[in-house]
Amino acid sequence: MKRFVQNFKKNLLNFLQIQCFLSLVSLPIIVAWGLPFSIMTAVGNFIFSPFITAFLLCASLIFFTELFRIPNGFLIILLEWITQSWLYVLSFGSKTWLISLPETLIPFLCIIALCAFLALQHKKLSSPLYYIGFSTLLIFAIALINKQTKKMKHTDVICNKKRLSLINNNGKLHLIDQGALGERHNPSSWISYSLLPEISKKFGFTHIDELTYSDNKKTTQKAIDALCKEIIVKKITKK
């Protein structure tokens, strides 16, 4: 039992070290793409690793049993159980776990990523416990610099020559739609790949404090519904 606890502790520290390294090194790329990252990344990877392993193993066995015409009903039931369990755990996720950083921090994040890499080459800092502590200090530095960063006050996003204004008013993001949301019959892709990355890169926000729109087109209502599914919208008003 004592050996099991020691091995578990050692493996856990190694896992956390890898997660710290990957998170810090990938940050510049994530921010450049305008994507948020989750503060629960390490926890999620730790929880879902067994699910992924079991899912891939079971799916592979089903493939080969189908190929050789071997009865596999119990494997299909097992795969469905794994999938349903996975989806159940995912249902506890929250958008409040997401954090975005403005693109103005990319040069600083590149330095942080370099520090994370060089720390692995250091004899003492490369040990898991020291590396996790060093990474924690780097994360605090990112949080402090982000708090002091002057974020953009205003920008416009264009969709089919229609304008959507984003205004940062003392730390509160106001989105004013001037017809842009209703320009796409299928707005989900434009929201996911154009609007939200722009909000993340320019302002570092993972929520919208107020959305103001002016028309009653079905496509606008559809776009607002799609937007609310992707990001927290605290208040919606109509002109």
Side-chain angles (χ1 to χ4, degrees), residues 6-239:
Q6 289 177 342
N7 288 334
F8 177 79
K9 183 180 177 180
K10 182 181 178 181
N11 292 332
L12 181 61
L13 287 174
N14 288 331
F15 172 81
L16 291 175
Q17 182 185 27
I18 293 170
Q19 292 301 311
C20 287
F21 174 75
L22 292 177
S23 296
L24 291 172
V25 169
S26 63
L27 264 182
I29 301 172
I30 292 173
V31 173
W33 284 349
L35 299 175
F37 61 94
S38 175
I39 59 174
M40 300 294 284
T41 298
V43 176
N45 289 340
F46 182 77
I47 292 174
F48 289 114
S49 292
F51 281 100
I52 293 171
T53 302
F55 181 89
L56 292 176
L57 177 63
C58 194
S60 299
L61 289 174
I62 289 173
F63 172 78
F64 286 110
T65 51
E66 285 287 339
L67 193 64
F68 294 106
R69 297 183 179 180
I70 299 173
N72 57 7
F74 73 99
L75 287 174
I76 294 173
I77 294 173
L78 179 61
L79 185 64
E80 290 179 351
W81 183 85
I82 294 170
T83 304
Q84 292 301 319
S85 300
W86 193 344
L87 292 174
Y88 175 73
V89 177
L90 281 175
S91 67
F92 291 98
S94 173
K95 293 177 183 177
T96 57
W97 296 346
L98 298 178
I99 296 175
S100 286
L101 297 173
E103 60 185 356
T104 52
L105 286 181
I106 290 178
F108 173 72
L109 293 176
C110 289
I111 296 173
I112 290 291
L114 180 61
C115 291
F117 176 77
L118 292 176
L120 282 179
Q121 314 307 314
H122 193 277
K123 185 176 181 180
K124 192 172 184 179
L125 288 178
S126 60
S127 65
L129 198 57
Y130 279 101
Y131 192 86
I132 293 168
F134 179 71
S135 299
T136 303
L137 290 177
L138 294 179
I139 292 169
F140 275 118
I142 294 171
L144 183 62
I145 295 296
N146 181 48
K147 189 175 181 180
Q148 301 299 324
T149 299
K150 185 179 180 181
K151 296 178 175 64
M152 183 172 284
K153 294 297 182 183
H154 175 268
T155 191
D156 291 327
V157 181
I158 307 299
C159 180
N160 292 345
K161 298 182 180 181
K162 294 293 180 69
R163 192 180 303 274
L164 188 149
S165 297
L166 298 167
I167 302 170
N168 178 8
N169 184 14
N170 295 323
K172 293 187 176 182
L173 186 63
H174 191 179
L175 188 153
I176 302 175
D177 177 43
Q178 301 175 42
L181 287 177
E183 284 298 295
R184 298 292 182 93
H185 290 288
N186 184 14
S188 297
S189 60
W190 181 77
I191 288 171
S192 297
Y193 300 111
S194 296
L195 178 58
L196 296 185
E198 191 71 9
I199 292 174
S200 181
K201 287 192 290 184
K202 300 298 184 185
F203 301 96
F205 281 91
T206 55
H207 67 274
I208 297 170
D209 290 282
E210 185 174 359
L211 165 63
T212 302
Y213 69 102
S214 56
D215 61 70
N216 289 319
K217 292 195 297 186
K218 288 184 179 180
T219 50
T220 300
Q221 296 298 326
K222 185 178 179 181
I224 292 173
D225 291 340
L227 182 63
C228 291
K229 290 178 181 178
E230 297 290 336
I231 192 173
I232 297 172
V233 181
K234 295 183 179 179
K235 184 180 179 181
I236 300 175
T237 58
K238 185 179 182 301
K239 287 184 181 178

